[in-house]
């Protein structure tokens, strides 16, 4: 009897949760929170607005750019400074514009996600320390260039270096700034690791010199939530601060109580951090498609929201397919209707495509067609749409699932390797890298420009580019036909350095850990040979 009661309580809790986490509740909550984000952005209109992927991307119609700071890097006793996610473009953008605003959100019970409470504060501090060290070295060099020489020159130089380091630290804030709710014990534990993380950043090959010249004042995080009190007549100009502000906006209300909200037409339950874990609730809807049609979706009401979104998602899919863009079929498992839980046989009606009329009654979304050139390497990375539309490259390596039509290319200059993510096949990338590298070698030898594409241009194509850069280029980014690779023992540090170089140009790069492991397995497997790895079975 007790087990039955527990089971009944569990089922009741799940039913209540399903009632709360409906699609309409999520989208309406996001829409309400976006008003707060807009108000904050207007306080500092000159500062660029960035979305922290992926949750933050839901909370405003238009962002200047995106960034990728993971909450897991800030989890207690699991703090990390990850050189695979340096977000160099954020620091450069903050230096150019005098600061930036980053938007993210979190579920109920917390005011800020760990990405804002700890990951970004660690990031700003490590960058500040690396810049301070660079400034100190420049001061030493400038004094030496002035011809300071004496009999005890060596001892004076050591004394000068220590003095310059201390002076640079005083002039350039290198302290760790964290919010008050992070305990002193946790902060102290993080501070113990800062020096090691700074050395990792300096060893990663990141261009600290360009950051030092771009940033006129040290980076410093500020935290703003819906509970923050701001006197509108006393908002300071961002230029008045003695630091470069990284303003961290947590979009959602942090109340732990279910908020039932109503208007003259509809009622709904507010969900804090509704944009999180979009696979579990968005039903194929993307942030861009939502904001292009937000008015219609919100005003459709909770009863028809699911059906309206299903129609929009399918129409957008057909629109993309007609233009040769990525258009995967969205498959949804039908759920029991929350309005008819008493009838177990009732299920939500499934969208019928037979009567679907593809008309321009919604605002469609186009894929990103940006091509990112990797310095002077003649290699570029981009989306499948970019590959399909571009005519300015000599050859294309398509790593997406669908083939593309490139009329100006032939079998020697176009190769299709349908690689899937490591979540679906943990060896798919590795098994195709030999063919990818050999194809790149043949075309780069002829001096051709080379584009690597995948569905989103952020993961698989980036990892393929990383393998090509490591296998065929020296550490200065010059094509050497694999000479340096054959003479070098590839370490994880060396691979990270190449990844940092790549991410400097491809600012949207987000290579997954599983795919990076496959790249390293491929590259380290070719160790000791006189040529680049050519077959998976030799690794």
């Amino acid at each position: 009897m007790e087990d039955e009661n527990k089971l009944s309580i569990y089922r009741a809790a799940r039913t209540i949760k399903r009632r709360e986490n409906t699609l309409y509740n999520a989208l309406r909550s996001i829409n309400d929170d976006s008003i707060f984000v807009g108000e904050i952005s207007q306080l500092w209109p000159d500062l660029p607005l960035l979305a922290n992927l992926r949750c933050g991307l839901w909370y405003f119609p238009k962002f200047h750019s995106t960034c990728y700071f993971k909450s897991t890097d800030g989890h207690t006793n699991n703090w990390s400074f990850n050189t695979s996610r340096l977000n160099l473009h954020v620091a450069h953008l903050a230096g150019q514009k005098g600061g930036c605003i980053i938007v993210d959100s979190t579920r109920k019970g917390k005011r800020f996600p760990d990405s804002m409470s700890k990951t970004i504060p660690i990031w700003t501090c490590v960058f500040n320390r690396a810049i301070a060290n660079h400034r100190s070295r420049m001061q030493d060099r400038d004094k030496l260039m002035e011809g300071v020489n004496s009999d005890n020159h060596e001892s004076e130089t050591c004394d000068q270096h220590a003095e310059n380091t201390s002076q640079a630290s005083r002039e350039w804030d290198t302290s760790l700034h964290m919010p008050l709710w992070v305990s002193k014990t946790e902060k102290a534990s993080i501070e113990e690791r800062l020096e090691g993380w700074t050395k990792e950043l300096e060893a990663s090959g990141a261009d600290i010199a360009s950051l030092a010249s771009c940033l006129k004042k040290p980076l410093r995080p500020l935290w703003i939530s819906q509970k923050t009190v701001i006197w509108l007549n006393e908002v300071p100009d961002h230029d008045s601060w003695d630091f470069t502000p990284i303003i961290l906006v947590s979009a959602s209300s942090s109340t732990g109580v279910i908020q039932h909200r109503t208007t003259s037409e509809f009622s709904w339950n507010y969900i804090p951090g509704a944009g999180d874990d979009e696979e579990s609730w968005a039903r194929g809807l993307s942030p861009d498609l939502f904001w292009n049609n937000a008015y219609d979706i919100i005003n459709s009401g909770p009863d028809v929201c699911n059906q309206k979104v299903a129609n929009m998602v399918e129409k957008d899919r057909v629109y993309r397919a007609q233009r040769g863009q990525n258009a995967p079929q969205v498959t949804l498992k039908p759920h029991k209707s929350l309005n008819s839980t008493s009838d177990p046989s009732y299920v939500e009606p499934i969208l019928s495509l037979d009567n679907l009329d593809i008309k321009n009654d919604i605002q469609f979304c186009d894929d990103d067609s940006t091509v990112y050139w990797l310095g002077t390497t003649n290699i570029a990375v981009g989306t499948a749409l970019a590959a399909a539309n571009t005519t300015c490259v000599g050859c294309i390596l398509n790593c997406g699932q669908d083939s593309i039509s490139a009329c100006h290319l032939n079998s020697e200059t176009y190769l299709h390797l349908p690689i899937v993510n490591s979540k679906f096949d943990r060896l798919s990338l590795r098994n195709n890298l030999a063919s990818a590298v050999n194809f790149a070698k043949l075309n780069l030898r002829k001096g051709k420009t080379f584009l690597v594409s995948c569905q989103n241009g952020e993961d698989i194509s980036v990892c393929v580019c990383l393998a090509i850069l490591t296998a065929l280029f020296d550490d200065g980014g010059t094509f050497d036909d694999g000479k340096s690779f054959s003479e070098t023992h590839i370490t994880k540090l060396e691979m990270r350095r190449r990844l940092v170089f790549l991410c400097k140009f491809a600012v949207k790069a987000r290579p997954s850990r599983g795919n990076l492991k496959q790249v390293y397995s491929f590259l380290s497997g070719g160790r000791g040979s006189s040529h680049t790895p050519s077959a998976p079975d030799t690794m």
Side-chain angles (χ1 to χ4, degrees):
M1 185 68 179
E2 185 178 347
D3 290 341
E4 289 181 4
N5 289 336
K6 286 183 178 179
L7 189 60
S8 298
I9 293 172
Y10 172 77
R11 284 176 176 171
R14 289 295 299 270
T15 301
I16 293 171
K17 186 175 181 180
R18 285 199 301 269
R19 286 180 178 274
E20 293 174 15
N21 295 340
T22 64
L23 179 61
Y24 186 80
N25 285 345
L27 296 177
R28 189 71 195 238
S29 302
I30 288 169
N31 187 71
D32 280 16
D33 290 339
S34 71
I35 298 172
F36 169 69
V37 173
E39 291 172 346
I40 298 302
S41 67
Q42 286 304 305
L43 296 180
W44 296 279
D46 294 334
L47 297 185
L49 191 67
L50 280 69
N52 191 34
L53 298 173
R54 291 179 303 165
C55 179
L57 201 57
W58 285 94
Y59 285 92
F60 206 65
K62 189 69 175 177
F63 287 96
H64 183 280
S65 185
T66 60
C67 55
Y68 190 41
F69 294 98
K70 291 191 70 172
S71 286
T72 52
D73 291 338
H75 286 177
T76 302
N77 296 323
N78 193 42
W79 313 287
S80 174
F81 179 84
N82 198 314
T83 53
S84 298
R85 296 184 288 272
L86 283 182
N87 291 285
L88 283 167
H89 67 289
V90 179
H92 278 286
L93 189 60
Q96 293 165 5
K97 302 293 186 180
C100 67
I101 302 172
I102 298 177
V103 177
D104 203 350
S105 185
T106 189
R107 294 287 184 177
K108 63 184 179 182
K110 298 172 70 174
R111 287 180 65 186
F112 290 85
D114 284 343
S115 60
M116 290 184 163
S117 295
K118 286 169 276 189
T119 304
I120 295 178
I122 289 171
W123 175 82
T124 58
C125 183
V126 171
F127 269 67
N128 284 338
R129 284 171 171 252
I131 291 171
N133 291 343
H134 174 79
R135 287 160 57 92
S136 173
R137 288 192 293 269
M138 292 303 99
Q139 289 176 3
D140 287 345
R141 189 194 67 176
D142 291 344
K143 289 190 176 182
L144 289 173
M145 292 294 289
E146 292 173 1
V148 180
N149 292 299
S150 62
D151 293 335
N152 59 342
H153 172 72
E154 183 176 347
S155 62
E156 283 188 5
T157 300
C158 293
D159 292 340
Q160 288 167 2
H161 178 73
E163 181 182 348
N164 289 341
T165 301
S166 176
Q167 182 181 356
S169 296
R170 289 194 300 270
E171 294 175 354
W172 195 266
D173 185 9
T174 59
S175 54
L176 177 64
H177 295 278
M178 305 200 81
L180 295 176
W181 55 87
V182 176
S183 69
K184 293 182 179 178
T185 302
E186 185 171 8
K187 182 178 179 182
S189 297
I190 293 172
E191 286 175 327
E192 292 174 357
R193 294 164 169 79
L194 290 173
E195 187 62 31
W197 289 332
T198 304
K199 290 179 180 178
E200 287 181 18
L201 172 60
E202 292 172 336
S204 71
D207 191 353
I208 304 300
S210 66
L211 276 180
S213 62
C214 180
L215 281 165
K216 305 305 178 187
K217 294 179 285 187
L219 299 166
R220 182 168 176 176
L222 299 174
W223 296 267
I224 296 179
S225 72
Q226 292 196 24
K227 289 187 176 180
T228 304
V229 178
I230 300 176
W231 299 101
L232 297 181
N233 60 338
E234 297 181 7
V235 175
D237 189 87
H238 67 274
D239 287 332
S240 65
W241 287 316
D242 59 355
F243 54 84
T244 302
I246 306 295
I247 300 174
L248 308 178
V249 179
S250 184
S252 297
S253 172
S254 59
T255 178
V257 181
I258 297 174
Q259 297 182 36
H260 189 71
R261 301 185 180 183
T262 60
T263 64
S264 58
E265 296 182 73
F266 309 116
S267 63
W268 74 96
N269 290 325
Y270 173 77
I271 304 175
D276 193 23
D277 190 23
E278 62 189 53
E279 289 87 357
S280 67
W281 61 267
R283 304 172 70 88
L285 188 69
S286 68
D288 283 341
L289 187 58
F290 166 63
W291 283 113
N292 284 349
N293 303 276
Y295 180 83
D296 288 340
I297 293 175
I298 296 302
N299 286 290
S300 69
D303 293 337
V304 299
C305 178
N306 286 8
Q307 187 68 26
K308 192 171 190 68
V309 167
N311 275 277
M312 287 184 174
V313 169
E314 181 57 22
K315 288 181 179 181
D316 185 64
R317 188 190 72 81
V318 174
Y319 172 85
R320 290 167 178 265
Q322 290 172 345
R323 284 152 182 77
Q325 301 175 16
N326 178 61
Q329 179 73 52
V330 178
T331 304
L332 295 174
K333 179 182 178 181
H335 295 285
K336 290 182 180 179
S337 172
L338 298 179
N339 295 324
S340 303
T341 54
S342 59
D343 181 4
S345 65
Y346 181 86
V347 296
E348 222 176 298
I350 302 174
L351 175 65
S352 172
L353 301 185
D354 296 335
N355 300 320
L356 190 62
D357 184 19
I358 307 301
K359 297 179 181 177
N360 289 332
D361 56 350
I362 69 170
Q363 295 296 313
F364 297 106
C365 297
D366 286 315
D367 288 336
D368 184 7
S369 59
T370 306
V371 171
Y372 298 96
W373 289 97
L374 308 182
T376 58
T377 62
N378 272 354
I379 300 177
V381 62
T383 63
L385 177 64
N389 291 344
T390 186
T391 57
C392 63
V393 294
C395 53
I396 293 177
L397 172 57
N398 173 21
C399 303
Q401 292 303 296
D402 300 320
S403 184
I404 60 175
S405 57
C407 299
H408 65 292
L409 302 179
N410 54 44
S411 59
E412 293 184 357
T413 55
Y414 174 78
L415 177 64
H416 182 206
L417 297 175
I419 301 172
V420 298
N421 194 284
S422 59
K423 290 182 179 179
F424 304 104
D425 184 345
R426 62 187 183 88
L427 293 176
S428 177
L429 175 61
R430 178 182 171 181
N431 289 341
N432 283 282
L433 282 177
S435 299
V437 170
N438 288 332
F439 179 69
K441 181 194 290 188
L442 291 173
N443 285 280
L444 291 172
R445 277 176 177 172
K446 301 174 184 177
K448 292 182 179 179
T449 52
F450 192 87
L451 171 62
V452 183
S453 68
C454 68
Q455 175 185 332
N456 57 20
E458 298 175 356
D459 187 0
I460 293 174
S461 57
V462 169
C463 289
V464 172
C465 280
L466 176 61
I468 292 171
L469 284 174
T470 307
L472 302 178
F473 290 75
D474 63 21
D475 56 7
T478 302
F479 178 73
D480 67 357
D481 207 21
K483 182 176 183 295
S484 60
F485 175 77
S486 63
E487 298 171 350
T488 306
H489 170 58
I490 296 298
T491 63
K492 290 184 178 180
L493 175 60
E494 180 59 29
M495 198 178 85
R496 284 195 205 104
R497 289 174 63 90
R498 304 297 177 100
L499 180 59
V500 168
F501 170 82
L502 191 158
C503 292
K504 175 182 177 182
F505 303 101
V507 296
K508 289 189 176 181
R510 291 195 298 144
S512 63
R513 185 168 178 265
N515 285 338
L516 287 175
K517 287 177 69 175
Q518 291 182 71
V519 174
Y520 179 69
S521 174
F522 169 79
L523 294 172
S524 60
R527 177 171 73 244
S529 63
S530 60
H531 56 279
T532 56
S534 57
D537 57 5
T538 63
M539 294 178 223

